[in-house]
Amino acid sequence: MLRRGGRVSGECRLYLVTGNRNKLEEAQGILEEYGVRLEQAPLEGKLEIQSDSLEEIALYAARDAYRRLRKPLIVDDSGLFIEALKGFPGPYSSYVYKTIGWMGILRLMHNVHNRRACFRTAAVLIYPPLEKVFVGETCGVITREPRGTGGFGFDPIFVPEGYTKTYAEMTLEEKNRVSHRYKAFSKLGEWIRTGRVKCPGSSTP
Ligand code: IMP
C-alpha cells in the first residue's frame, strides 16, 4: 500500500456511522489512500440535533454513536448552502431532500439569477481520548435542470466551480477529486497518517 510519506504498519479500521451506502463508498474511496478501511457502523439511526452548525450536529451524533458502539468511529454531516436562499437548506438538507427533493430546490430557484451554492462537510473522528473535526467545502452553481444519474442527494443539480459536469455526471473518482467530502476526509486521512492516533496504518511519528 502506497502512502504519501511516512511508514505504514497495517490497516486502520474505523466505523462510519451512516445509513447511506453512497457516502460510505465515497468516503472509502478517499481514505483508502491513507490505509484506512471503513465499515458501516452496526447502529440503528444517527442522532440529529437541530443546530445551524454542521460541526455541532456531527459532534453530537458522533458522541452519541460512540456511547453506543464504544469503537473508534467517524460521523459525517453535510449540507448544501445556497447563496440566494440565504444558506438554505444548509443544516436542514437531509429533511429538505426527503420532503421537496432537488426538484423542490429547482422550483424555489425558478426565477433566481444568482445560482451560487456551496456544499460543506463536517467529519468528526472519535478515537479516544481524541476527538477531532475536519471540514471541507466545495462551491459552485445550481443548474437549471437536473443532469446525470450517478451519486446521490442533490448531485444532479450541482456543478462545482471550474467544471462543466454536475456531481451526478461525474464518476466516483472524479467527484472524489473535487468534492466537499474529499476535502474533509483527506484532511482526516492525513491526520491519521501523521500518527496522531494509534491506529494501525498511521506512521510512527
Ligand atoms: P447528511 O446529513 O450528511 O446525510 O446530508 C444531508 C443531505 O445532504 C443528504 O440527505 C443528501 O441529500 C445531501 N448530501 C450530502 N452529501 C451530499 C453529496 O455529496 N451530494 C449530494 N447531496 C449530498
Side-chain angles (χ1 to χ4, degrees):
M1 268 185 297
L2 177 69
R3 304 286 160 268
R4 283 197 216 123
R7 184 168 64 77
V8 173
S9 54
E11 200 173 52
C12 173
R13 286 179 175 265
L14 296 171
Y15 281 108
L16 183 69
V17 183
T18 182
N20 182 337
R21 296 292 306 178
N22 292 82
K23 205 189 247 192
L24 181 70
E25 209 185 330
E26 281 185 19
Q28 181 59 75
I30 299 159
L31 288 179
E32 226 155 52
E33 188 184 341
Y34 300 95
V36 177
R37 178 104 220 126
L38 290 178
E39 279 175 45
Q40 196 165 13
L43 291 176
E44 282 295 315
K46 178 180 129 196
L47 177 75
E48 290 265 353
I49 61 154
Q50 277 211 352
S51 164
D52 288 340
S53 153
L54 289 182
E55 286 93 326
E56 200 179 22
I57 296 169
L59 201 53
Y60 267 82
R63 285 177 182 159
D64 173 67
Y66 184 75
R67 265 193 295 275
R68 294 190 279 148
L69 192 64
R70 296 273 154 206
K71 295 265 169 47
L73 55 80
I74 302 170
V75 166
D76 143 345
D77 203 75
S78 304
L80 176 62
F81 295 75
I82 301 175
E83 199 171 277
L85 304 181
K86 300 189 173 10
F88 182 83
Y92 310 104
S93 295
S94 176
Y95 180 70
V96 169
Y97 183 74
K98 279 187 232 147
T99 50
I100 62 172
W102 50 252
M103 241 186 307
I105 294 289
L106 289 186
R107 257 186 245 120
L108 280 175
M109 296 189 67
H110 180 55
N111 280 323
V112 176
H113 177 69
N114 175 9
R115 315 293 297 183
R116 191 172 161 77
C118 298
F119 260 117
R120 287 188 203 131
T121 288
V124 172
L125 169 69
I126 298 200
Y127 203 107
L130 299 168
E131 208 177 63
K132 179 107 177 128
V133 187
F134 302 88
V135 295
E137 177 181 81
T138 294
C139 295
V141 292
I142 301 293
T143 55
R144 293 192 178 270
E145 299 288 335
R147 297 199 321 252
T149 54
F152 66 99
F154 300 103
D155 278 356
I157 63 165
F158 181 78
V159 176
E161 220 162 65
Y163 292 78
T164 52
K165 288 181 187 173
T166 64
Y167 271 172
E169 290 175 305
M170 294 180 171
T171 61
L172 181 75
E173 291 71 25
E174 284 172 324
K175 184 179 172 189
N176 268 353
R177 278 199 288 271
V178 63
S179 81
H180 49 299
R181 187 160 295 101
Y182 161 71
K183 289 173 187 164
F185 277 77
S186 56
K187 285 181 199 166
L188 189 155
E190 199 58 47
W191 201 72
I192 287 178
R193 191 186 63 71
T194 56
R196 270 171 276 188
V197 292
K198 298 241 172 303
C199 196
S202 55
S203 316
T204 306

